[in-house]
Amino acid sequence: MYPTLNLTCGDSNLSSPEAQRLLELCHRPVKVAIISALGVMITVGNIAVLLVIASSVAGWSRNSRYFLLSLTAADSAFGLLVMPLNLWVSLMKDYNEGPDALCHIVAFCNATVYSTCMYTLATISLERFLAVFYPLRYSSLMTRRRTLLLIAFSWCFPPFLLLPISFPDGIIEVHFSTASLVCNPAYATNAGYSLTLTCLIFFPCSILMTYANMRLWVAAKRQRLKLRKYDGGRRSRPDVASRVLVPVMTAYYTCWTPCMAAMIYNAISGSSVPEWVEFVVVWLPTSNGFLNCIFYFWINRSFRRKFRLIFQRLCLALCPGLARTLGCCTNPQALFVLGILDNNNSLQERSSSVSSTCTLYTLAGDLHI
């Protein structure tokens, strides 16, 4: 299946293409282990998130839950679709073969999931921007129909835009990379298409996210300075804006920018980046699927409270004896009452747009971004 070379992984003079390919194959077990561990983290984290936001969470409106469910589904696709497909191809495909139909389908799935995640992050930033700066018009601006249309756009526009990748005999050439263990379009031979995708996906989403979150951060800092002035200069509460908005944008650009930069470099220069650099920049965006669980959910106090409640219910339902031994479910009646009170938040959902503004400008609690 693989070329037979009189070389070993420890050889120092590996300059020929065949020897370089052998070296990449020697590194494959380490890469598979890294990808598998990352996939498990993403899947477990997003399943926990899904269990919580599938039910009502105090302070989260119906629209917010729809957008966050969309984000969770897109992030889960990294661990449930992208990683298994590429690992399967890396184990089954003969690296001497040229492009095939399977690799085109896998590359199409990869690009679609990546693009859907970016569009979903952008729509979340847009929804929060409208909720905070236009609270009185939020209900008319973000109706249920418009919310679902935005989510549908995030999921349907990328496959339409990336459809040429799926055709084996089409204009887009696709290869399996032994360096990154991914089926990817050959950006060096499809420079125009690669630059077009970057301009239609990464840059618009990044500009929208940066503008919306920067406006929120500036407004929060300005209001916080006013509160500190009236409070005698004391800083009694943590800076929620910096604790949430800054990590969200930092994680986004850290995970996505190297991949986009490598894509543009390959398209313009016609040459590829070094092996491990390619591996890191290709798989780094998937780690954003795990970081989103932290910055969008676990920082939120209402989410953590609801997760503990659901975990206690599961413990009591599945392993009552072990739950009582561990002391995590000592009062079933109290849990039942808490569940009723926690789910009875229709008034909070109807007033979520106003509460979002109060949350940001008073900085009295978690910022639901």
Side-chain angles (χ1 to χ4, degrees):
M1 183 175 180
Y2 305 118
T4 302
L5 299 174
N6 295 322
L7 294 169
T8 63
C9 295
D11 290 340
S12 57
N13 297 321
L14 298 175
S15 56
S16 66
E18 293 80 8
Q20 186 66 31
R21 187 178 298 111
L22 176 63
L23 183 61
E24 292 173 352
L25 292 176
C26 293
H27 295 160
R28 189 178 67 175
V30 178
K31 296 175 182 176
V32 170
I34 294 174
I35 295 171
S36 301
L38 185 58
V40 171
M41 293 169 57
I42 293 173
T43 303
V44 172
N46 283 281
I47 287 177
V49 168
L50 186 62
L51 289 174
V52 177
I53 61 176
S55 60
S56 58
V57 179
W60 288 9
S61 68
R62 179 183 59 190
N63 291 341
S64 296
R65 286 173 55 203
Y66 286 160
F67 282 115
L68 294 174
L69 279 171
S70 176
L71 176 63
T72 304
D75 289 339
S76 300
F78 284 133
L80 297 176
L81 183 65
V82 171
M83 292 178 174
L85 280 178
N86 287 278
L87 289 178
W88 180 56
V89 173
S90 70
L91 295 175
M92 300 299 295
K93 182 177 172 57
D94 188 342
Y95 298 133
N96 290 325
E97 296 177 356
D100 56 19
L102 175 61
C103 215
H104 275 268
I105 296 300
V106 173
F108 172 74
C109 293
N110 295 343
T112 299
V113 172
Y114 278 45
S115 303
T116 299
C117 186
M118 278 193 281
Y119 276 119
T120 304
L121 290 170
T123 56
I124 290 176
S125 298
L126 175 63
E127 188 267 341
R128 289 293 84 198
F129 177 83
L130 295 177
V132 170
F133 287 98
Y134 302 96
L136 299 180
R137 298 177 55 194
Y138 175 82
S139 299
S140 59
L141 291 173
M142 290 300 299
T143 61
R144 183 175 181 271
R145 181 174 179 273
R146 290 179 179 176
T147 298
L148 295 179
L149 284 176
L150 279 175
I151 294 174
F153 174 81
S154 300
W155 284 88
C156 297
F157 182 67
F160 171 78
L161 186 66
L162 301 167
L163 189 61
I165 298 177
S166 63
F167 299 118
D169 299 324
I171 61 174
I172 306 300
E173 186 178 352
V174 173
H175 292 289
F176 180 82
S177 172
T178 55
S180 57
L181 302 184
V182 169
C183 288
N184 265 338
Y187 298 114
T189 58
N190 304 288
Y193 187 72
S194 302
L195 296 176
T196 301
L197 291 182
T198 307
C199 294
L200 292 178
I201 298 175
F202 177 71
F203 287 114
C205 294
S206 300
I207 292 172
L208 177 59
M209 288 185 63
T210 303
Y211 174 78
N213 286 283
M214 184 63 69
R215 286 285 307 273
L216 291 170
W217 183 79
V218 170
K221 295 293 290 186
R222 186 178 302 165
Q223 187 66 19
R224 185 168 182 80
L225 291 176
K226 292 180 180 179
L227 293 175
R228 191 185 303 173
K229 177 181 178 181
Y230 290 116
D231 199 26
R234 291 179 298 177
R235 186 173 181 174
S236 57
R237 302 190 65 87
D239 191 343
V240 179
S242 298
R243 184 164 59 90
V244 177
L245 297 177
V246 173
V248 163
M249 293 307 302
T250 301
Y252 172 80
Y253 278 110
T254 301
C255 293
W256 290 98
T257 303
C259 182
M260 297 299 110
M263 182 189 303
I264 295 174
Y265 171 79
N266 292 341
I268 295 177
S269 67
S271 59
S272 60
V273 297
E275 174 194 356
W276 278 100
V277 174
E278 179 182 341
F279 176 79
V280 171
V281 300
V282 166
W283 287 105
L284 190 59
T286 61
S287 63
N288 196 218
F290 177 73
L291 295 176
N292 287 336
C293 296
I294 298 175
F295 297 133
Y296 282 87
F297 301 104
W298 294 108
I299 286 180
N300 188 279
R301 191 178 309 161
S302 298
F303 176 87
R304 295 196 303 269
R305 187 183 302 115
K306 190 61 179 289
F307 176 79
R308 285 194 296 267
L309 177 62
I310 292 178
F311 179 74
Q312 289 171 353
R313 288 176 178 172
L314 290 176
C315 286
L316 186 62
L318 300 177
C319 303
L322 179 61
R324 293 188 181 91
T325 302
L326 296 176
C328 62
C329 299
T330 57
N331 193 341
Q333 292 79 10
L335 291 179
F336 178 75
V337 173
L338 285 175
I340 295 177
L341 293 177
D342 190 70
N343 286 323
N344 188 21
N345 63 349
S346 58
L347 178 60
Q348 291 172 335
E349 291 193 356
R350 287 195 297 268
S351 61
S352 176
S353 61
V354 178
S355 66
S356 298
T357 307
C358 297
T359 299
L360 176 65
Y361 285 103
T362 60
L363 294 177
D366 289 332
L367 183 63
H368 305 304
I369 299 298

